[in-house]
Amino acid sequence: MKKLPYLITLLVLTSCTILTREAIYWDADIDDYKVFPTYDFKENNKKYSFCPKKVNLLDTMLFKNAKGEKETLDELLKGTKTSQFIVIQNDTILYEGNFNGYKRSDYTTLFSISKSVTSLLVGIAIDEGLIESVNDTITKYVPELRNKAPEFNELTIKQLLNMQAGLDFNENYSSPLSDMARLYYGTNQLGKLKRMKFAHKPGTYHTYQSAQTALLGIVVEKVTGKNLGEYFEEKVWKPLQMENKGSWSLDDKRHRSAKSYCGLNLSAIDLAKIGRLYLNKGKFKDQQIVSENWIDATLTNYPKNNNYNYQWYNGFIAGTDEEGIPYFTDSLQALKRYENVYANKRYNTSYYIFKSCIKDWTNKKYIKYCQKHYNWTDINECRWELSVLTGRFQTLGIMHQILYIDPIKNIIIVRLGETDYSNYKHGRYENLMEEIMNALPPND
């Protein structure tokens, strides 16, 4: 963990609790479950195990590292900041690697993968009749918001699921004074959410904001009367027979409201079981954990919403130019590249081209990376990105935590670890996963 260098500013402008947490722990790290109070899941007596690893093509398949050298998957990942990496097909482990001192049983903070699990819990609450419909307004279940910003009274659960609330919320991970930092390191998250204002009319604008998932978590806690971690333990953790320890981080010891947008702490092998649940249409053995309708609604392509649907991403690869750069000078260049390179590949179903402006980004590390490696020095310059939709689906954490599933080939891939822009080219672990999935044989 890294110490925050500007304590004086924080002393003046932030609360004592936020100051203490930020000063000691800034910025976020994969062991942040140690920072906050947690709801710890009880160990299961019954534990589900995937079939053990058997000899397969991934043992000898070669991949290019950042220098263009060919390495085995094991060799490649040893040179990264990956902690755990698992490939599973047809319930059989094809590859499992643990690196940088981590063991199979270790769990880490999943960050925004927690959002997708919160979506799962919303679906379960709907199945149980605790939430009537995704079209209900949030104030039906969180009455504390009724007399706050008037937009809350028209904000629906579906809009929150698709990040279309229109909140005035700064998702800046690098500033200690941002809305994100105050939500993450602060206490009493409902108290902070009640003070939120709106920048857009709900349903008219897609903006990725953790505060929206925080509101979804509050809804689930209100309708169940339980801490989100407790509800997860009852409805998912126990039924899926998770094998290692895990927890869900809370806002503080008094309110004990779970950080639904970032606070789930699991091992890779247990996260893979959630992927398996989605591949099996919400079913585990003979038990329907969540309805098939909810899974189908979630795993539907929504490219016009930035490939984002019900807190999951449509599976895509970042289209690159001839030099492997994932940005194009104009949209026609991106379209031509799609038609010439990507259109005829078996699992690529469609594409989406969109403008990307570096001045709008908040990840300063990646900005510096692009300025250095892509000669993108003009802060006012915009370029174009090409998303090639694959028919696969993924959920992502800020440090390249990834759960990737292929419903056609029945594949699950999990990568946990820290952000890495140097050792693996472009930090595009999604492209590595696509390469693995394309190489594996079709589902039997």
Side-chain angles (χ1 to χ4, degrees), residues 201-330:
K201 178 180 173 64
T204 63
Y205 199 83
H206 170 83
T207 306
Y208 184 93
Q209 296 170 324
S210 292
Q212 299 193 48
T213 313
L215 287 168
L216 285 173
I218 296 293
V219 169
V220 175
E221 292 185 336
K222 288 286 186 179
V223 300
T224 62
K226 299 176 181 178
N227 170 283
L228 194 70
E230 184 180 359
Y231 191 58
F232 172 81
E233 179 183 52
E234 177 185 338
K235 301 299 179 179
V236 180
W237 176 266
K238 289 181 179 178
L240 295 192
Q241 300 174 7
M242 302 298 197
E243 64 184 75
N244 297 316
K245 292 181 179 180
S247 65
W248 206 311
S249 298
L250 310 174
D251 58 354
D252 60 65
K253 293 181 180 179
R254 177 187 173 191
H255 298 93
R256 297 189 63 79
S257 181
K259 295 177 179 291
S260 57
Y261 54 94
C262 71
L264 182 58
N265 310 299
L266 294 180
S267 63
I269 194 69
D270 283 336
L271 177 58
K273 293 168 187 173
I274 294 177
R276 183 181 185 273
L277 181 68
Y278 277 77
L279 287 183
N280 291 333
K281 297 288 188 177
K283 201 170 187 178
F284 178 77
K285 297 184 178 180
D286 295 327
Q287 183 179 359
Q288 195 73 41
I289 306 299
V290 67
S291 67
E292 185 173 337
N293 288 339
W294 186 263
I295 300 296
D296 289 341
T298 302
L299 303 186
T300 299
N301 287 327
Y302 197 175
K304 292 184 178 180
N305 200 52
N306 197 28
N307 300 319
Y308 195 81
N309 192 37
Y310 279 34
Q311 309 276 302
W312 279 72
Y313 282 100
N314 308 149
F316 67 92
I317 57 174
T320 63
D321 64 14
E322 293 82 355
E323 297 179 0
I325 297 175
Y327 300 100
F328 300 85
T329 55
D330 61 70

Side-chain angles (χ1 to χ4, degrees), residues 363-377:
N363 191 325
K364 292 185 178 180
K365 290 182 180 179
Y366 190 58
I367 290 174
K368 290 180 180 179
Y369 182 89
C370 290
Q371 289 174 330
K372 178 180 178 180
H373 294 277
Y374 303 151
N375 194 29
W376 198 343
T377 56

Side-chain angles (χ1 to χ4, degrees), residues 28 61 108 132 154 200 301 311 378 434 436:
M61 186 176 173
T108 55
E132 186 175 348
E154 56 182 297
H200 306 279
N301 287 327
Q311 309 276 302
D378 184 356
E434 281 290 324
I436 292 171

